[in-house]
Amino acid sequence: MIASLVLLGLALPATQAQTGAVRLAITRDEGWLNPYTYQTGFPGWNIMTLVYDTLYYPDANNEPIPWLVRDTRVSIDGRTWTLTLRPNLRWHDGRPLTSDDVKFTFEYAAKVAHSRWTPTTRNLEGVDAPNPQTVVFRLKQPDAGFRLRTLADVPVLPRHIWESVTTVAAARAFRNTVGSGPYRVEEVQDNQFYRLVATPQYFAGPVKVRELVLPIVRDATVSFTALQAGQIDATSRVLTPELVAQFEKTQGLKVARGAGFASTILQFNLEHPLLRDVRLRRAIANAINTNLMVRLLMLGYAVVGSPGYLHPDSPFYAQGLRFEASKARAVTILNEAGYTDRNSDGIREAPDGTPLQFTVLTLAGNPIRIRGAELIRTWLKDVGIGLTIRVAEDAAIIDQVWPDFDVCKGRRFDMSMFGWSAPVMTRPTALVDLFHSNCQRGTINIGGYKNPEVDRLGEQLVVTVDLARQKQIASQMQQIIARDLPIHVLFYQDTIMAYRPSAYDKWVFQKGQGYVTKLSFVDPPK
Amino acid sequence: MRVGGVGTLGLTLLVVLVASGILAPWIAPYPPDETTGAPFTPPSRMHLLGTNDVGQDILSELIFGVRISLTIGFLAAILAISIGTLAGVVAGYFSGWVDATLMRLVDIVLVVPFLPLMILLAAYLGPSFWNIILVIGALVWARPARVIRAQVLSLRRLDFVDAAVALGASSGRLLLRHILPGVLSLALAQFILAASNAILIEASLSFLGLGDPTAKSWGSTLYYAQARSAFLSGAWKWWVLPPGLLITAAVLGFAFTGFALEEVLNPRLRR
Amino acid sequence: MARFFAGKGVQYALVLLFAVTLNFLLPRMMPGSPLVFLVGEDVGFMSADQRAQLIHAFGLDQPLWRQYVIYLAGLARADLGHSFQQGRPVLEIILGRVGWTVLLVGISLLLATLIGITWGTAAAWRRGRRLDLGSLGAAMLLESMPSFWLAMIFIAVFAAGLRWFPVFGAMTPGAGLRGWPQMVNVAWHLTLPLATLTIITIPGMFLIMRYSMLSVLGEQYIATARSKGLAERGVMFRHAMRNALLPVATVFMLNLGYVVSGATVVETVFSYPGVGRLLFEAVLARDYPVLQGTFFVLTVSVITANIGADLLYPLIDPRVRHAR
């Protein structure tokens, strides 16, 4: 037993170029790790792409680099994309991967609904496969995000396996994991772990880790305890602020830190009779001391939010855009706007007599957000605005804030603590998704914000392919949003990842997201 | 007299806790919801039990937590005993189909798996102060109902009740003047046991994240301790041990008191 | 006997029906839509008709009574539906995890009963003296402790601190062990949760055994046996214990029903992949079919245990057996 303990407790060190086995803990069950059964955007999609390849792949800076594709030609009008695949691509079962599979994949995505990439196929007029190496995409409209959002996102499916799976229900229960990626799914233990084994002779080059074991550890505390105790070598979970100092000092552990793109925001309901007044929103934002929040809640491991939404490290950030909160200014704004406390109960009233009393929703399972809400409540009380905190389960919050995930269905709330995950930050068109007033285009405009100027700029942004022009438009949009404050961005939590270098040390840190990326295990193809 | 010793110990515990709760603003060194130090600091002269994840004094939090935890316990127990006593008295006194129906209901509640149902209800109703009380009350009433019913049945058989009926006393009068008083002391014992149960359940639900984390009960202190990695950083010694000890003390206080009362009151247990 | 059964049979059937209906209705009444857990988090980026397509594919647009009928028909076929999250049959998921729970709680119940019986007997025999009072105090202390608190302390001290035991799971993931090494690995992972659960269960058994022994020791026939001049010990074992064991046996049977639900908190804290933990995960994920299915299995197991206790009692207690 001692012998097996010793063997299990240490990963075998690298012999030659390939490391033996690495244990990377993930946070929840991810189905069968194929495109229709994985569960989460992160790390689910990332792990699924270890088994399946996409045409492009995001690099460490979130720029799409060619992967299955060897070269690309785009027509002048931006509507025809001709891609040449690399030669000798194979599926795990030995069959060749050809343009026919690519064509099949995109037609399949349009037919068999998938929440993540079916929407991106809406802009496709058609996909042709004139010969086994060439794929031609014909778009309806030019699309600035085509490479990142579509080509670097949709995994290619083997036609010979998926053509018989014709309904959504069948797809979501389909267990087959034959892909083309650097790893094969070797073993799945229900709710306990996955075991992936490296594909011999992967086209892009040698795979650096022979075997990946992915235990499912749902609790944050348990996963960090296990990491510290040496039971796992790495985890997809971001290290919580309170453990950073301790882990940095621990022998045998290394901590990698970088900007994080997941945001924590205070979302306003712009249709609320009181909150539709921009002055009130500005006053509320001024009362919130985000600097102190970052120090207290995140122990300094976060970046204060930018009022235009985009992270200062994002290439599309409007340079110099900042929000300086000031309690004095909050009081001034409130007084000048006519919100005074007429009955001396500590809560100001609007000119028509309605008290400034709001409810803020916050997620039950997220203690940091709850604490954030408590801090906000204290600060708002200081300026005479009353806040009640309502802690609720995810489904209950979604029901009020984003019913059925359909912005068109309206909303019924005052304010809510909310957050968007990293992928929302990596594309400039996120500004359209977040702020366009048409509920079909502003698919995550959960506050119901309406500004025709922002709409116009957004529509322009989507069809602009020139990078410099994109940045210009994005900057203008952010300036307007910073004035209107439909949402108040509190902070962006840093991405801090801990791991055991003795087990594996060649992790690649993807900006804003972490080290669970295909690039950590295989170098980009030349 | 040994029983008396146990009972005294229990009552003492309770009195000390209740007193701390009432005197909280005076004995707690700081207001519990104010950030009075840096987050995650170990015990020091300024903060005898250190600070929590947002720099609030843990000792003060626990002292004020007495109010919340005991209140939830009390209110849930009151709800449970009210329902339970009513059901038990009505079932025992009126017999027939009323009795059968009520006891069926009791059996159903007792058979359905307790904690899973509680988790489900708590998740359904949402994490709030009153919902927790409702959930606990809705499930804890069954056992007292049974016990009280048995007591009512034995009371009914007593001679003086037959005599009263023969003399033409109405049901209401009988219930009020003869049955109810006989049941009250047992109900009190059951109440105390229910309260001890309720405090434990609230702690478990809060810890699992199904309670109201903004109501600073001991269970929610443990929730934050767990969620903010107290077990990894050694902070558990001052952030986890004390609330758990307090919960144990409160539950024990109720249990000892209730146990002593039951020994004294329940005729079947006497030698 | 048959009449006895008819009465109880109806009662259990009612309980089952009530539980089943409750199980069905409650999840349906919860706020929010299960859509996020149907298709994963990225559902926000779908169009309205694609979401509608998904809702239809999973039967959520049917009227409530229709869903109920489908549910009942499924139960009759032992079809508990498919997990929203995993797309696998619920029954399969539950069966895959029941084993761990049975292992954990079965052993702890056995251990707790054995220890409880011994301890209770000893305390009852020495009623009123130091052993008894100390035991009572200790038992009540243990019963007053929150189980999750005890569990976390064990983890902090023995797993994270001393590193004698693992922090989570039932087996070391991906180790591919078989045979004896596998059993050892499982036992190693089982130790802390088992210790926690056993410690929590002992007081209950102790108290019942103690009360039971006390009431038996007060009975006439024990006095008779004593007057025959039997050695004290003989009296205790042959007469008192056998009769005192009755309620314990009953409670043991009833506790078997709680086998799968009683360990929920312990399983959750130790991340032990049993049915209790499955229930908690299903609630958090709003995975309705798994929720309903787990409830159903738990309720059925409790009812079965009750029936078992009812069947067993006459066999053990000679007085009831000869009554009819």
Side-chain angles (χ1 to χ4, degrees), chain A residues 156-223:
Chain A
V156 182
L157 299 171
R159 171 196 281 273
H160 61 278
I161 290 177
W162 286 80
E163 60 188 343
S164 56
V165 185
T166 48
T167 64
V168 173
R172 298 210 33 97
F174 196 44
R175 299 186 186 195
N176 186 284
T177 54
V178 167
S180 60
Y183 284 94
R184 258 184 18 247
V185 177
E186 181 78 5
E187 187 182 350
V188 177
Q189 274 283 357
D190 168 36
N191 264 282
Q192 293 189 53
F193 67 90
Y194 298 94
R195 198 155 62 87
L196 306 180
V197 168
T199 316
Q201 273 143 13
Y202 182 60
F203 79 91
V207 181
K208 299 181 191 172
V209 177
R210 184 178 45 84
E211 187 174 288
L212 277 179
V213 177
L214 308 173
I216 297 171
V217 187
R218 287 166 210 273
D219 294 324
T221 308
V222 173
S223 62

Side-chain angles (χ1 to χ4, degrees), chain C residues 90-142:
Chain C
V90 171
L91 192 60
E92 186 188 301
I93 298 176
I94 294 177
L95 287 178
R97 300 178 70 145
V98 150
W100 294 117
T101 301
V102 170
L103 181 69
L104 172 65
V105 189
I107 299 182
S108 79
L109 196 56
L110 270 166
L111 279 176
T113 307
L114 285 172
I115 298 176
I117 290 176
T118 320
W119 194 18
T121 307
W125 198 247
R126 299 261 176 274
R127 181 185 184 167
R129 303 211 219 130
R130 256 201 328 230
L131 173 68
D132 184 32
L133 291 177
S135 301
L136 268 176
M140 300 190 87
L141 181 72
L142 285 175

Side-chain angles (χ1 to χ4, degrees), chain B residues 218-238:
Chain B
W218 295 326
S220 70
T221 305
L222 284 166
Y223 166 70
Y224 279 112
Q226 205 275 113
R228 305 307 299 269
S229 316
F231 292 90
L232 266 179
S233 56
W236 62 276
K237 301 189 200 88
W238 58 85

